[in-house]
Amino acid sequence: MDTDIHEGEGLEPPRDGLNNQGVYIYAPPKQSKGNGERAPKRRKIHSNTAHNTVEGVPFVPLLNGEEDAESVRCRYTTYKQFWSQQDRKIQAILKEVDSKVLESVSSFVQTTSPETYNDCIPTALVTVGSNVSALSRLLSRLNSRLTTSGEGGVVAIESGDAHNLKTALKNIIRGAITNTEGSDGFQRFLTDRAGPRLLGYDLELLSDYVNRKGIKKLVLVLRDSEAFDAGLMIDLLSLLSSWLDRIPFVLLLGISTSVEIFESRLPRSSVALLRGKHFEIHEMGDCVDRIYEAIQADQDAKLWVGHNVTAAVFERWTDHFQSPETFINTLKYSYMSHFFANPLTALLADSVPANPPSTVLCEAIRNVPSFRSYCEALLENNSHEVRKLLEEDAYLLQEMQQHIKMGQTKMRHISQAVVVIQIFSKKLQISRKSSVSDVSIRALSGDLQNSPLVEDLLEAIKKADSNQLDELLSSLLAIISGQRPEFPRIEKDLKALLVTHKGAEPLRSEYHMRNTVIQTTVVKKQIKLTKSKAKLPQEVIQYTQIVDRLHAAFESYFTETLIQPQDLVMHEVFLFDFKYPLKEVFAPRSRFVTERALSTPFDYLMSTTSEAPGRQRSAKQPATAILYQLYLESGALVNVYDLWSAFFAVFEADQGDEYDERMTMTLFYKALSELKVLGLVKTSRKKVDHISKSAWLGL
Amino acid sequence: MRRQPGTELGEDQLPVSTPKRQKRTATVNYRDHEVAADEATEAASPSKRAKSTPRKSNDATATSGLNPPGLKTPTHKSKATSLFATPTKRIAASTPSRAINADRSAKRKSVRLLLEQDEDDVWDGADRLAEEILEEESESAAVVNENPDLRQTIETGTNGAKNKRSPTPEGELPPHERYFFQNRAGPPRTSNNNLNKVNLLTHEEYFEKLAYHQDPNLSEKDFLLEVHQRSFPQWEFELDEDFNVCLYGYGSKRNLVQQFADWLYLRRREDAAAPTIIIVNGYTPNISIRSIFATVATAVLGADLPSKLGSQPTEVLELLQSALKSRPLRLPVTVLINSIDAPPLRRAMGQALLARLAATPMIRVLATADTPNFGLMWDISLQDQLNFVFHDCTTFSAYEAEVDVVEEVHSLLGRKGRRVGGKDGVGFVLKSLPENARNLYRLLLTELITMLDEGHMSDDELEGEEDEGREVAGARGAGDLGIEFRTLYQKAAEEFIASSEMMFRTLLKEFHDHQMITSRMDSSGMEILGVPLSRDEMEGVLEDLVLA
């Protein structure tokens, strides 16, 4: 053991030295070292991973490393292709959502000047709420707009850039000049100036620059204006207003709480220097819905995220304060994991590398649960087919691709149905509230079939008047006509009927309240209510027929479309539904992990030998884990001496004769220092040689 | 006999005077007879008597003989409490008010029965009551009989520390309850032991011992590391897709990061250009954000680096960003940050700047975090910029480079500086002191070492000392050894080091301030001076002093 350590140390003396260096550029391991001399660990990595990768692709061959390079590459390129398509759509949506605010802000910037505001600083107050990233998008677009037109530029500073007035000004000046000139240009600007050299925070520099460039608008952005020190803000504002005649400032304040709170922090004299407008980057809730819809319900979509993922993503969105970027990233990550870890995704590519059919891939297909249940179902009447599937790789691939295509079509129909339901509830004003996410989750879990929601919709059709139905059909037709030919026919009939209809009132079916008559009869001292149809004109009867047809059509449409996606053959390929990586990757339970590692270390240290270590405390556990468990048993205040005695009792009991007190003390030191670094204990002044506990397990 | 006063009182207070009264008293009397008989038999056994004495006194103090404690409705619960209850509860059960209530309700019951004029019922009720009382009495007596000792201790324990509660609550408490239980007000409930008896470790000893330590879980830890290594391609893919990676979990991840760097390098060696990798050790005490940015800028710009980078980290960062914008790199720059939550980087300012670095295109960050609550460092906008994906990388490796173990423990114990100086520290201080002081210290050391050599201590002491001293590699040495104040003063005067006691004390004060000497009172009240150094260290210092 002893010699091992020395060898290990001897191998890389220069690298150990680097541990104490704060920051350094990585130097590759020495080439001179022959293979035989390499540390065993390093060799392990080579054999495991380094040789196992495919050139130019970050993906690893799956299926025990037996996947061929072509499929790996295929998965990667398909991922790239899929996500770039989705990303384009998302960016378009974001751009569109932003554009309204952008237009109003930029028109504000362009039209206002100190003169229009009688020498106050023109100020745009932008409340961003949780949507922090929207502001940076807005700013970069505003900046590019202003710089291309040569009117000026945008300088954004954060509270971190402004500890004091000097640094704030320095950063503003440098930011403004480098924005157009680049950092070299800034240096040149400083040195080329005639006259006495000015200090970096002199606004004279900026006014010089403004004059030279003929800048008309200099937008100064304080991104997190609430985080700025109030005193600094006051100084900065008064300074800016005094330079306003020489530098055309326009102030843009990012506010995450509310304008009132922001205003209350400043004295009235400072507020009086500002005048402007309030802009609101509206909350991104519906933006997220739109993004989700764009990804899921697109006509060319080939991959869907399942209800688990959807639920997890939307839960995080509603429960946490998040920007839409985080939302998008979560979706992106699920795409990434799907292609990275699922060898079957090679089948999603436009051109599958089918010849020669990869045997491992086919084996993998045959092990997929949905394939198995498909075969079992098939076995009852067509065992020949099953045999063929199991034996002929080429046939299997061909069949499965067929199935994937079919499955994809069905998935598309499901997501369409979600859209249909959305439009439905909007047009017919169903009171039940259902967001895209809600309906999608239920649709993707196969819950919507025969659900009250759908039944309500069908019921609403019967009661709808002709105008509503007409509107509904015309907006739905584009989506579902391709799939169901009866809808256009019904629509045509309805239109024809409406042409003949002359009345001011829209037509109502006989199911509508207005067309039923309630008769009250008194029979044997009891009141009897009977509903009966009023005498109906011919039009209404015809209309009712149409409504009936429509109702039946929709009913069959919903029953056929809203199937359970998990029943589709090969759904594993085009449906990603593991919420596990997403949750852990984006919302780590770091404290839980640390506590678990320390309280039950053998969860992690899986024994390579056969004997399973018990749960009880023993010297076999890492020292820090032992100390932590003792620590858990102690009160808020811990006597270190007692802790130490308990600690060594564990070792004493375990090691018997070989027991070495100083060694145990060494381990105790190590463990205690680690607990301190992890922030679990801190010094206590209450009593000598005591420490206080600062974390409770499970809290 | 004990019963008598209570019942009589109850009898007197009976508000109704009906013919039944006679009967009632009769029943009571009947009951009393039985009780008396019972008591009599009880009294016959000596153990009984022993038990009844403390109890009686208790009754006298707590209830002033007003009522029989047995009159409350006898339920199984009361049986249970008499068996297992804490002493305080027992007393509470027999507080006067409670007993009076019980009494009254009994009275009320009997009154009601009388008003209803149902003789049989009255009789039965009273009888039943009497029976129940008797039953309970004998039961509790039996219980007491079984363990008189316990009873005794409980009774005596009650007047003592009522607040003596154990720090660990009984049973499984939910975490929040446990928190409040352990944090309730009151004096600390820990023992008064301290570490004076224990020899603390020095840096040297710590590392010496550690080198011989054999890790029982070595193979498991290696296996764990290997599992993490398998994720290297995944991390790289994530970095490629504009995510940054954050590794968390218990154990040092420094080696893992280093191996990731190696892996990245080896993987790309086929290409002409090697990847640019910058490694940051966040735990280094003197690290600055600016130096990180400067290093990244150096790596990116190479020879084109301007001679003056600017003193503010933001300046360097902006230079870096504009450089990246103006000359698109073929390969991204990878920044690996060890311990991004270490104290030197932990401040909000530093994190904000690092987040801006991480958000820079073409810069990929893989950071590791050690503390369990690292997530609190980043607010929503920082999270947005950092764009981390998190991976649990529990390694169980020792924080060798990250933690200065001995220093941390000593600062935790508030013993910083006690031995921290050691030999070098003492030598350093001495160098800056005047000649006189150095001479005095030399004198002190000489005296102490001669004392050690001559064996001023008794044989056993010395033996024990030696044995232990050998075992702990000389860390202990002269801890208990000392020279008497007067003696040292005289010697100092002889050598013309100090001409007056005043001056002598001034010199000593200097040593005290630097914790170079220890002083204590011995049993006869004489001041004994010593040095907090081991023998080896003393000799080393003396050598330096003489040679200098």
Side-chain angles (χ1 to χ4, degrees):
Chain A
M1 189 59 240
D2 184 12
T3 50
D4 271 358
I5 286 169
H6 286 298
E7 258 176 33
E9 280 171 352
L11 263 179
E12 323 169 317
R15 305 189 133 209
D16 277 2
L18 292 173
N19 289 335
N20 299 321
Q21 205 172 326
V23 45
Y24 56 95
I25 300 174
Y26 168 81
K30 291 233 163 56
Q31 301 294 311
S32 60
K33 264 188 243 161
N35 260 335
E37 281 171 14
R38 270 209 183 120
K41 265 180 206 162
R42 184 117 345 111
R43 206 164 17 183
K44 232 179 245 166
I45 328 170
H46 291 190
S47 56
N48 275 355
T49 48
H51 290 316
N52 237 346
T53 47
V54 179
E55 221 26 62
V57 176
F59 280 15
V60 207
L62 298 169
L63 304 169
N64 272 336
E66 286 172 35
E67 194 181 7
D68 56 282
E70 206 182 334
S71 319
V72 177
R73 199 162 289 137
C74 187
R75 276 192 290 137
Y76 182 67
T77 44
T78 318
Y79 159 72
K80 279 285 180 197
Q81 180 200 338
F82 274 32
W83 183 254
S84 57
Q85 272 176 16
Q86 303 287 28
D87 203 37
R88 234 174 290 133
K89 277 183 242 160
I90 292 168
Q91 293 311 328
I93 291 175
L94 284 181
K95 205 168 174 182
E96 191 198 320
V97 170
D98 289 346
S99 57
K100 227 196 251 163
V101 188
L102 177 72
E103 285 313 319
S104 54
V105 170
S106 61
S107 78
F108 170 82
V109 167
Q110 269 151 358
T111 54
T112 53
S113 65
E115 291 77 46
T116 54
Y117 277 139
N118 16 325
D119 295 339
C120 293
I121 311 175
T123 310
L125 301 160
V126 183
T127 46
V128 281
S130 74
N131 193 357
V132 194
S133 60
L135 188 59
S136 25
R137 285 198 305 269
L138 176 74
L139 293 181
S140 68
R141 289 175 64 188
L142 188 63
N143 187 32
S144 61
R145 200 176 272 200
L146 286 176
T147 42
T148 44
S149 68
E151 278 178 291
V154 176
V155 198
I157 61 170
E158 282 171 35
S159 55
D161 300 329
H163 302 289
N164 50 45
L165 194 59
K166 265 191 200 174
T167 35
L169 289 174
K170 258 190 191 173
N171 283 326
I172 293 170
I173 294 167
R174 207 189 47 243
I177 300 177
T178 42
N179 184 27
T180 52
E181 309 294 300
S183 65
D184 294 346
F186 176 59
Q187 293 298 332
R188 245 179 289 124
F189 182 81
L190 283 185
T191 46
D192 291 357
R193 263 187 94 259
R197 192 184 158 84
L198 293 174
L199 290 166
Y201 48 85
D202 200 330
L203 281 178
E204 186 73 44
L205 277 174
L206 197 58
S207 107
D208 220 27
Y209 164 76
V210 166
N211 281 338
R212 215 188 279 185
K213 287 269 153 189
I215 281 169
K216 295 189 209 73
K217 300 287 167 199
L218 192 64
V219 183
L220 175 60
V221 187
L222 309 184
R223 298 181 60 133
D224 42 353
S225 55
E226 283 110 325
F228 279 75
D229 180 51
L232 181 90
M233 279 289 272
I234 296 165
D235 291 349
L236 190 63
L237 290 180
S238 73
L239 202 61
L240 292 182
S241 86
S242 64
W243 278 88
L244 204 57
D245 50 345
R246 284 153 285 177
I247 308 172
F249 280 120
V250 175
L251 210 53
L252 202 152
L253 302 171
I255 296 172
S256 31
T257 48
S258 76
V259 178
E260 287 74 27
I261 293 174
F262 172 76
E263 202 180 320
S264 68
R265 285 179 68 234
L266 292 175
R268 230 177 271 170
S269 59
S270 297
V271 174
L273 298 174
L274 307 173
R275 180 166 299 183
K277 236 175 157 180
H278 175 212
F279 300 94
E280 213 163 331
I281 297 184
H282 68 101
E283 284 300 318
M284 300 296 270
D286 55 324
C287 157
V288 163
D289 280 351
R290 282 182 59 190
I291 290 170
Y292 180 80
E293 210 178 294
I295 288 187
Q296 293 280 88
D298 194 79
Q299 281 308 299
D300 333 314
K302 285 177 180 155
L303 174 66
W304 289 265
V305 294
H307 70 278
N308 279 326
V309 173
T310 311
V313 168
F314 274 99
E315 190 189 315
R316 262 179 69 68
W317 169 256
T318 47
D319 290 359
H320 297 256
F321 213 53
Q322 259 189 347
S323 65
E325 264 76 6
T326 322
F327 179 83
I328 296 162
N329 278 332
T330 324
L331 285 178
K332 178 177 179 182
Y333 197 83
S334 48
Y335 268 62
M336 282 165 60
S337 358
H338 188 56
F339 283 98
F340 187 83
N342 190 347
L344 300 179
T345 46
L347 296 173
L348 279 177
D350 292 335
S351 59
V352 180
N355 27 333
S358 145
T359 37
V360 263
L361 186 64
C362 294
E363 270 320 296
I365 292 174
R366 291 189 184 112
N367 276 305
V368 161
S370 70
F371 175 80
R372 291 180 163 207
S373 48
Y374 170 69
C375 281
E376 273 163 29
L378 209 60
L379 206 55
E380 283 174 11
N381 41 27
N382 196 350
S383 59
H384 176 69
E385 170 89 4
V386 175
R387 179 167 291 277
K388 211 171 164 194
L389 278 178
L390 290 180
E391 279 170 358
E392 285 173 42
D393 282 354
Y395 179 69
L396 175 82
L397 272 184
Q398 188 196 332
E399 276 295 294
M400 285 307 119
Q401 271 170 331
Q402 214 61 45
H403 273 292
I404 289 171
K405 291 249 156 58
M406 273 157 57
Q408 283 173 332
T409 319
K410 288 201 172 134
M411 286 303 293
R412 248 167 251 151
H413 291 167
I414 292 181
S415 8
Q416 274 170 13
V418 172
V419 179
V420 168
I421 291 174
Q422 285 295 306
I423 295 174
F424 236 115
S425 21
K426 217 182 286 164
K427 298 277 179 207
L428 298 186
Q429 278 126 35
I430 307 285
S431 57
R432 196 187 294 265
K433 265 209 169 164
S434 52
S435 61
V436 177
S437 54
D438 261 358
V439 180
S440 306
I441 291 167
R442 298 183 59 192
L444 287 168
S445 58
D447 246 10
L448 228 43
Q449 182 86 266
N450 298 328
S451 70
L453 177 67
V454 171
E455 273 163 21
D456 279 3
L457 290 183
L458 293 175
E459 205 51 41
I461 295 179
K462 286 189 173 179
K463 300 210 172 119
D465 62 40
S466 57
N467 288 356
Q468 277 179 317
L469 272 197
D470 189 34
E471 238 176 84
L472 178 72
L473 273 181
S474 51
S475 54
L476 284 184
L477 223 49
I479 304 173
I480 50 177
S481 59
Q483 198 187 334
R484 318 276 306 194
E486 65 262 42
F487 283 110
R489 255 179 273 136
I490 297 173
E491 207 241 352
K492 213 192 284 164
D493 292 350
L494 181 64
K495 281 260 176 344
L497 182 68
L498 285 182
V499 169
T500 56
H501 175 60
K502 294 286 188 293
E505 286 266 302
L507 283 169
R508 288 170 210 280
S509 75
E510 59 179 63
Y511 307 108
H512 196 271
M513 288 293 272
R514 192 158 323 157
N515 288 339
T516 46
V517 178
I518 296 172
Q519 290 182 335
T520 317
T521 39
V522 181
V523 184
K524 289 184 190 166
K525 285 189 186 170
Q526 279 184 332
I527 296 172
K528 205 174 178 183
L529 294 178
T530 37
K531 283 186 188 174
S532 67
K533 304 280 173 288
K535 266 192 190 152
L536 298 167
Q538 187 59 28
E539 272 183 343
V540 173
I541 292 166
Q542 278 175 3
Y543 178 67
T544 307
Q545 278 169 358
I546 289 175
V547 165
D548 281 340
R549 277 165 62 200
L550 197 61
H551 181 266
F554 268 116
E555 198 168 12
S556 75
Y557 167 72
F558 281 132
T559 353
E560 269 169 49
T561 320
L562 294 173
I563 46 165
Q564 179 126 10
Q566 278 78 14
D567 290 343
L568 294 172
V569 183
M570 298 308 285
H571 67 86
E572 287 88 349
V573 176
F574 51 82
L575 188 67
F576 177 80
D577 205 12
F578 298 106
K579 66 179 174 194
Y580 160 73
L582 290 183
K583 277 205 160 167
E584 294 292 306
V585 157
F586 287 101
R589 294 182 299 163
S590 54
R591 184 165 162 186
F592 169 79
V593 163
T594 313
E595 281 170 350
R596 180 174 172 199
L598 290 177
S599 54
T600 51
F602 290 116
D603 285 4
Y604 282 94
L605 297 173
M606 262 165 283
S607 186
T608 39
T609 53
S610 57
E611 51 142 354
R615 289 233 147 195
Q616 80 276 24
R617 215 172 288 137
S618 80
K620 292 270 184 310
Q621 290 190 1
T624 314
I626 299 174
L627 193 67
Y628 178 73
Q629 288 157 45
L630 294 171
Y631 157 90
L632 285 183
E633 287 175 12
S634 68
L637 202 61
V638 189
N639 183 327
V640 178
Y641 179 80
D642 292 346
L643 193 62
W644 154 239
S645 354
F647 183 78
F648 91 27
V650 172
F651 280 82
E652 202 176 21
D654 212 71
Q655 293 173 341
D657 294 342
E658 301 158 44
Y659 164 72
D660 174 0
E661 193 214 322
R662 301 307 286 178
M663 176 62 86
T664 314
M665 176 75 101
T666 307
L667 294 178
F668 180 70
Y669 261 60
K670 192 172 142 240
L672 195 58
S673 67
E674 283 180 8
L675 287 193
K676 188 189 171 223
V677 168
L678 293 179
L680 300 172
V681 293
K682 57 184 184 215
T683 315
S684 165
R685 288 189 203 289
K686 277 194 188 149
K687 256 173 134 180
V688 74
D689 285 342
H690 276 59
I691 49 178
S692 60
K693 195 172 175 174
S694 46
W696 271 259
L697 180 70
L699 272 190
Chain B
M1 31 186 225
R2 280 198 296 118
R3 233 135 271 292
Q4 206 65 39
T7 37
E8 258 171 22
L9 198 86
E11 213 54 46
D12 290 346
Q13 280 175 356
L14 267 180
V16 273
S17 54
T18 51
K20 301 290 168 241
R21 190 182 170 181
Q22 204 54 34
K23 249 173 194 173
R24 171 104 182 117
T25 33
T27 67
V28 170
N29 281 343
Y30 163 67
R31 202 180 68 198
D32 275 353
H33 280 307
E34 268 206 3
V35 171
D38 211 298
E39 292 266 308
T41 51
E42 276 173 14
S45 72
S47 71
K48 192 68 231 182
R49 195 160 277 275
K51 140 261 143 180
S52 64
T53 2
R55 186 157 178 209
K56 196 163 197 176
S57 69
N58 191 21
D59 278 355
T61 51
T63 69
S64 55
L66 238 178
N67 58 320
L71 249 185
K72 51 195 170 96
T73 33
T75 57
H76 285 289
K77 199 178 175 192
S78 78
K79 229 189 286 171
T81 46
S82 69
L83 248 179
F84 301 113
T86 52
T88 43
K89 263 201 180 144
R90 176 85 201 165
I91 282 183
S94 56
T95 45
S97 62
R98 182 81 71 88
I100 285 171
N101 282 343
D103 232 354
R104 280 198 192 129
S105 72
K107 268 179 265 156
R108 218 178 290 139
K109 225 183 261 172
S110 51
V111 169
R112 201 172 55 233
L113 290 170
L114 288 175
L115 287 174
E116 278 172 12
Q117 307 262 325
D118 196 335
E119 267 190 43
D120 285 334
D121 270 3
V122 175
W123 185 256
D124 279 359
D127 202 8
R128 199 164 55 237
L129 190 65
E131 258 171 29
E132 279 167 0
I133 289 165
L134 283 172
E135 200 177 37
E136 200 220 24
E137 178 73 359
S138 61
E139 258 169 20
S140 66
V143 166
V144 170
N145 232 346
E146 269 164 30
N147 44 8
D149 287 357
L150 180 76
R151 177 100 206 163
Q152 206 82 31
T153 49
I154 287 172
E155 301 264 333
T156 47
T158 47
N159 32 3
K162 227 181 232 175
N163 280 339
K164 204 158 191 176
R165 291 164 293 188
S166 92
T168 42
E170 286 123 46
E172 288 290 306
L173 287 182
H176 54 278
E177 290 290 350
R178 189 178 284 266
Y179 172 81
F180 287 118
F181 182 85
Q182 294 185 344
N183 274 313
R184 73 222 128 123
R189 286 163 289 271
T190 52
S191 73
N192 287 323
N193 294 329
N194 59 34
L195 288 167
N196 289 343
K197 290 167 268 180
V198 182
N199 272 301
L200 300 177
L201 290 172
T202 58
H203 287 265
E204 291 85 8
E205 197 187 356
Y206 173 77
F207 286 112
E208 191 181 321
K209 280 282 161 192
L210 200 65
Y212 287 99
H213 179 241
Q214 202 168 339
D215 192 343
N217 297 308
L218 205 62
S219 60
E220 286 91 346
K221 284 182 192 174
D222 277 352
F223 175 68
L224 204 58
L225 207 60
E226 214 187 298
V227 170
H228 294 319
Q229 282 166 5
R230 281 184 214 151
S231 327
F232 284 170
Q234 186 190 337
W235 299 348
E236 211 218 341
F237 175 48
E238 284 160 2
L239 290 175
D240 267 357
E241 291 299 319
D242 297 332
F243 285 102
N244 294 310
V245 179
C246 178
L247 311 176
Y248 64 95
Y250 168 70
S252 167
K253 291 159 282 289
R254 194 171 42 86
N255 271 332
L256 192 66
V257 167
Q258 183 73 45
Q259 282 164 7
F260 183 58
D262 290 348
W263 181 83
L264 278 180
Y265 181 82
L266 287 170
R267 186 177 142 75
R268 293 293 175 89
R269 205 169 44 178
E270 269 48 72
D271 295 352
T276 319
I277 302 170
I278 286 111
I279 299 185
V280 180
N281 289 327
Y283 49 82
T284 333
N286 51 3
I287 195 170
S288 68
I289 301 287
R290 189 195 163 273
S291 67
I292 298 174
F293 290 172
T295 315
V296 178
T298 318
V300 170
L301 290 168
D304 302 339
L305 193 72
S307 53
K308 269 183 77 179
L309 271 180
S311 59
Q312 290 292 317
T314 33
E315 289 174 47
V316 185
L317 182 66
E318 270 161 27
L319 173 80
L320 177 67
Q321 283 169 340
S322 62
L324 283 173
K325 218 181 276 172
S326 60
R327 70 182 83 191
L329 292 179
R330 216 163 60 78
L331 286 171
V333 179
T334 312
V335 183
L336 308 173
I337 306 177
N338 283 309
S339 310
I340 197 173
D341 55 346
L345 297 183
R346 199 178 281 171
R347 282 168 47 237
M349 186 61 221
Q351 292 297 329
L353 287 168
L354 284 180
R356 276 159 77 177
L357 176 73
T360 312
M362 292 308 276
I363 290 200
R364 334 186 280 180
V365 174
L366 180 136
T368 69
D370 299 318
T371 57
N373 298 322
F374 66 88
L376 303 176
M377 292 192 300
W378 307 312
D379 64 13
I380 173 182
S381 74
L382 288 194
Q383 269 173 9
D384 240 38
Q385 292 180 43
L386 286 167
N387 195 15
F388 270 137
V389 290
F390 297 91
H391 294 293
D392 176 3
C393 278
T394 303
T395 61
F396 279 94
S397 314
Y399 292 100
E400 271 161 18
E402 289 94 330
V403 182
D404 185 345
V405 170
V406 178
E407 185 79 0
E408 290 285 350
V409 171
H410 286 170
S411 80
L412 185 64
L413 299 178
R415 285 171 188 250
K416 211 171 188 168
R418 186 173 162 186
R419 273 154 209 261
V420 136
K423 186 192 141 198
D424 294 342
V426 170
F428 189 75
V429 175
L430 281 175
K431 260 182 215 150
S432 61
L433 288 180
E435 180 78 28
N436 255 2
R438 280 208 292 271
N439 282 337
L440 178 62
Y441 206 74
R442 179 182 47 91
L443 183 69
L444 177 64
L445 289 179
T446 329
E447 287 299 316
L448 290 175
I449 291 172
T450 27
M451 276 162 96
L452 271 178
D453 289 345
E454 285 168 8
H456 266 230
M457 287 176 279
S458 72
D459 283 354
D460 317 337
E461 244 178 45
L462 201 63
E463 215 170 88
E465 187 80 8
E466 287 279 291
D467 275 355
E468 221 173 325
R470 203 167 292 143
E471 200 179 294
V472 301
R476 190 169 211 175
D480 298 337
L481 190 73
I483 182 168
E484 206 260 312
F485 180 82
R486 279 274 132 214
T487 329
L488 187 67
Y489 172 58
Q490 261 154 25
K491 298 234 177 196
E494 275 167 26
E495 293 204 23
F496 303 109
I497 293 168
S499 52
S500 66
E501 191 177 326
M502 183 69 180
M503 211 176 144
F504 180 64
R505 282 201 180 275
T506 321
L507 289 173
L508 284 186
K509 188 173 179 300
E510 190 77 38
F511 294 154
H512 257 296
D513 289 349
H514 291 99
Q515 293 171 312
M516 290 158 61
I517 57 168
T518 59
S519 107
R520 65 190 154 93
M521 291 293 175
D522 76 352
S523 49
S524 58
M526 288 194 297
E527 194 179 349
I528 306 287
L529 299 173
V531 291
L533 295 173
S534 70
R535 179 168 180 165
D536 292 348
E537 286 172 324
M538 281 186 345
E539 279 170 353
V541 174
L542 186 61
E543 207 170 283
D544 290 350
L545 275 175
V546 174
L547 287 178

